[in-house]
Amino acid sequence: MKKPRAAMRSCCRKQASSKEGRKKHAPSSSQAKPSAPDGLAGRPEEVVLQASVSLYHLFRDTAEVTVFRESLLSWYNREKRDLPWRRQAEGEVDLDRRAYAVWVSEVMLQQTQVATVIDYYTRWMQVTSGKGSVRSQTPDESLSFGMEEVNQLWAGLGYYSRGRRLQEGARKVVEELGGHMPRTAETLQRLLPGVGRYTAGAIASIAFGQVTGIVDGNVVRVLCRVRAIGADPSSTLVSQQLWSLAQKLVDPAQPGDFNQAAMELGATVCTPQHPLCSQCPVQSLCRARQRVEREQLLASQSLPASPDMEECAPNTGQCQLCAPPTEPWDLTLGVANFPKKVSRRPPREECSATCVLEQLGAHGGARILLVQRPNSGLLAGLWEFPSVAVEPSGQCQRKALLQELQSWAGPVPATRLRHLGQLTYQVFGLALEGQTPVTITPPGARWLTREEFRTAAVSTAMKKVFQVYEGQQPGNCKGSKRSQVSISSSRKKPSPSQQLLDNFFRPLICTDPPSLNSVAQ
């Protein structure tokens, strides 16, 4: 019963150690030039940081740091997931191959779940010999992929600019760096396009053993809970503190394993919602867990809960790493009160209509028209069905879509343009039957068979469009309604970043006459 009270007074005792506070760990030289949004690590900011942060949010001595390292690494060695990029990094003796394997995995894992990445990573990395064996690539081997093949390998993974930047970086390694990957986090970030502070630190620590800490979304969550950091983690000051903590904690003997262990803990145990605190190897050091126990005790005694300021820094004013006093503790959330939920701007809204145009009588079998998106911007370089951006009212969508189709395929029968339904966008179909096949294709367009379409560099959105089109074909038992329901019901709630893509195909309000805009069921 006395433990929570002792925890409340712990900070007061540590506040007296002002000398220790002034000996705050400084970031390594490899982190002197972090990229946004990691913040800047410079001396003026460090002075402000020392003056505004309570020692309650730090580790008080080397013994505590040692316990954290040993507990986390012991748990990781027992519980770590068997992932292909880990196997390749552990078993590869060639440093450039090892670094490239880590680089590819880190790029693919940005904003993407591990389960989704595994197959894409394997396809990207494999170089098949005559016997079909698989080994990791080097940057020069990856250059055998043209951008069309890069897009094809990346199709469905999302955030397609990642693949292009990875290829640009590999080209620079081969053409300007003699085929050798930079060996430090600082040079990786400075020399390779698209490599930021986190990715550089991950490559340097895992592939080259550099003692450098890293901070990604999982690590942010772990550190904010372990040290009860309730302020906005995206702010410059909090970001600096998180990077400083990560650098202080990283194990000098096993920096790569430690960084992976911290990320693994956040991904599998210290999750955003419903964390598995009973399975956490550093639970005894977790200030968020201590706060939960204290609040539960206070609630059971019907006493008013004390604000963060009182438990953290009562004599120095509001600590800048604590949650604002205006944000009350939510007993239902527990440790998930940390980190602070960052408010995001609503995604950009764009409305679009798209059409599957198919030549049924084409030479060699039916053909589907695909056109290539511009080389910059959203979904750059991917292939899609002819699409048009329209006003949300949707009043002129049919006319605009017909004009777009005619610009690629010449005259088309307007009366055959059918509205097939909507997913997160309006879907149309038009079958050219009984007409002279289109033989001249302008640059940026191609006619593919259905089999070729399934392996083409198209987005997941276009694959869903085609599912709706197939479900509307004569003789197909899948009706429009059934097709739409099966797709929409299987969709998970999109992430904020995915909403940007989904809103590119935002639903439109149909205003066309029913006789032209509906399909006989």
Side-chain angles (χ1 to χ4, degrees):
M1 296 292 287
K2 294 182 179 180
K3 180 179 178 182
R5 298 295 180 182
M8 291 177 66
R9 295 193 297 268
S10 63
C11 178
C12 301
R13 293 195 298 269
K14 287 180 280 185
Q15 284 287 45
S17 305
S18 57
K19 276 189 177 182
E20 184 179 350
R22 287 192 291 271
K23 294 179 181 179
K24 182 179 177 301
H25 182 83
S28 68
S29 60
S30 66
Q31 297 172 338
K33 298 179 181 180
S35 61
D38 298 329
L40 301 175
R43 296 195 178 192
E45 289 82 356
E46 287 182 12
V47 174
V48 175
L49 192 62
Q50 293 172 13
S52 58
V53 172
S54 164
L55 296 180
Y56 172 79
H57 301 290
L58 307 180
F59 285 84
R60 61 177 177 264
D61 52 39
T62 55
E64 197 173 41
V65 171
T66 300
V67 171
F68 186 94
R69 290 171 178 167
E70 291 178 349
S71 299
L72 183 60
L73 283 169
S74 177
W75 168 84
Y76 178 69
N77 289 332
R78 295 191 312 270
E79 305 293 340
K80 65 182 177 182
R81 291 170 291 181
D82 181 24
L83 301 172
W85 44 88
R86 288 178 179 166
R87 293 196 300 270
Q88 289 186 334
E90 292 170 357
E92 182 58 68
V93 295
D94 185 284
L95 291 181
D96 293 308
R97 289 185 183 276
R98 184 192 307 168
Y100 185 71
V102 176
W103 185 12
V104 172
S105 69
E106 291 299 336
V107 170
M108 287 188 171
L109 286 166
Q110 293 168 10
Q111 303 290 324
T112 310
Q113 294 183 349
V114 167
T116 302
V117 169
I118 291 176
D119 288 341
Y120 284 92
Y121 175 85
T122 302
R123 283 197 298 270
W124 183 282
M125 291 301 298
Q126 63 186 195
V127 178
T128 306
S129 68
K131 296 182 179 180
S133 62
V134 176
R135 62 183 176 86
S136 58
Q137 293 179 352
T138 55
D140 59 323
E141 290 169 334
S142 73
L143 292 184
S144 62
F145 297 163
M147 288 312 301
E148 178 69 19
E149 190 172 5
V150 167
N151 285 336
Q152 185 173 342
L153 289 170
W154 212 275
L157 190 58
Y159 305 97
Y160 297 92
S161 60
R162 294 179 297 174
R164 294 191 299 276
R165 286 199 301 268
L166 181 61
Q167 199 72 341
E168 291 169 4
R171 187 172 301 281
K172 183 167 184 177
V173 169
V174 172
E175 297 179 353
E176 300 181 25
L177 304 178
H180 297 294
M181 294 280 292
R183 292 312 199 242
T184 67
E186 181 182 20
T187 53
L188 283 161
Q189 184 177 348
R190 176 164 49 86
L191 297 177
L192 298 185
V195 173
R197 185 179 186 181
Y198 160 75
T199 303
I203 298 172
S205 62
I206 298 171
F208 303 127
Q210 182 182 352
V211 184
T212 182
I214 60 174
V215 175
D216 74 339
N218 288 315
V219 176
V220 166
R221 188 164 54 257
V222 169
L223 294 181
C224 282
R225 289 174 180 172
V226 169
R227 295 294 90 177
I229 298 174
D232 183 353
S234 66
S235 69
T236 300
L237 185 142
V238 177
S239 177
Q240 290 171 355
Q241 182 62 27
L242 293 174
W243 278 95
S244 178
L245 281 172
Q247 185 62 37
K248 182 175 183 177
L249 290 172
V250 63
D251 189 276
Q254 304 177 70
D257 281 351
F258 179 88
N259 286 335
Q260 291 182 90
M263 292 187 287
E264 187 87 342
L265 184 67
T268 62
V269 174
C270 195
T271 54
Q273 298 176 340
H274 312 298
L276 307 174
C277 293
S278 62
Q279 300 178 24
C280 179
V282 294
Q283 180 184 168
S284 63
L285 300 173
C286 182
R287 296 211 187 282
R289 186 63 185 169
Q290 295 168 8
R291 174 71 185 273
V292 169
E293 294 172 351
R294 180 166 57 253
E295 294 293 341
Q296 290 174 343
L297 176 62
L298 292 172
S300 67
Q301 296 176 344
S302 300
L303 297 176
S306 57
D308 282 354
M309 185 173 67
E310 292 182 7
E311 75 178 44
C312 173
N315 299 321
T316 61
Q318 176 64 38
C319 170
Q320 294 193 36
L321 291 186
C322 285
T326 55
E327 297 185 6
W329 178 265
D330 188 339
L331 282 171
T332 65
L333 292 178
V335 299
N337 278 280
F338 304 98
K340 174 183 171 64
K341 304 299 185 293
V342 180
S343 58
R344 302 178 183 273
R345 290 184 302 175
R348 184 182 64 200
E349 294 185 1
E350 292 189 14
C351 303
S352 180
T354 187
C355 179
V356 179
L357 180 64
E358 185 173 25
Q359 292 191 79
L360 299 178
H363 178 70
R367 293 285 193 276
I368 303 162
L369 178 64
L370 291 181
V371 299
Q372 192 168 30
R373 293 183 59 82
N375 290 325
S376 60
L378 191 65
L379 305 175
L382 291 186
W383 293 86
E384 66 178 5
F385 300 115
S387 305
V388 291
V390 295
E391 295 298 323
S393 65
Q395 293 179 356
C396 302
Q397 57 180 291
R398 288 178 64 86
K399 180 179 179 181
L401 194 54
L402 282 168
Q403 290 176 345
E404 178 71 8
L405 293 172
Q406 291 170 357
S407 70
W408 293 107
V412 295
T415 56
R416 292 187 183 176
L417 181 63
R418 303 182 304 151
H419 179 257
L420 305 180
Q422 65 182 51
L423 300 171
T424 51
Y425 33 81
Q426 293 290 347
V427 181
F428 290 80
L430 199 161
L432 300 178
E433 189 173 9
Q435 296 183 215
T436 303
V438 178
T439 56
I440 300 177
T441 305
R446 59 171 59 170
W447 293 91
L448 301 180
T449 65
R450 294 192 179 200
E451 290 70 24
E452 291 169 336
F453 168 79
R454 300 184 199 286
T455 59
V458 298
S459 67
T460 301
M462 291 298 106
K463 292 178 181 178
K464 291 180 178 180
V465 166
F466 193 63
Q467 287 177 4
V468 174
Y469 176 77
E470 285 188 306
Q472 295 284 356
Q473 298 308 295
N476 194 321
C477 62
K478 294 180 180 180
S480 171
K481 184 176 181 180
R482 177 180 173 184
S483 179
Q484 292 180 50
V485 170
S486 64
I487 295 172
S488 60
S489 63
S490 66
R491 292 186 52 154
K492 296 181 180 179
K493 182 179 180 181
S495 66
S497 301
Q498 182 62 37
Q499 290 179 29
L500 177 62
L501 298 180
D502 288 345
N503 279 320
F504 183 79
F505 302 102
R506 191 172 176 80
L508 306 178
I509 301 174
C510 302
T511 58
D512 298 314
S515 59
L516 295 178
N517 202 35
S518 61
V519 182
Q521 296 290 326

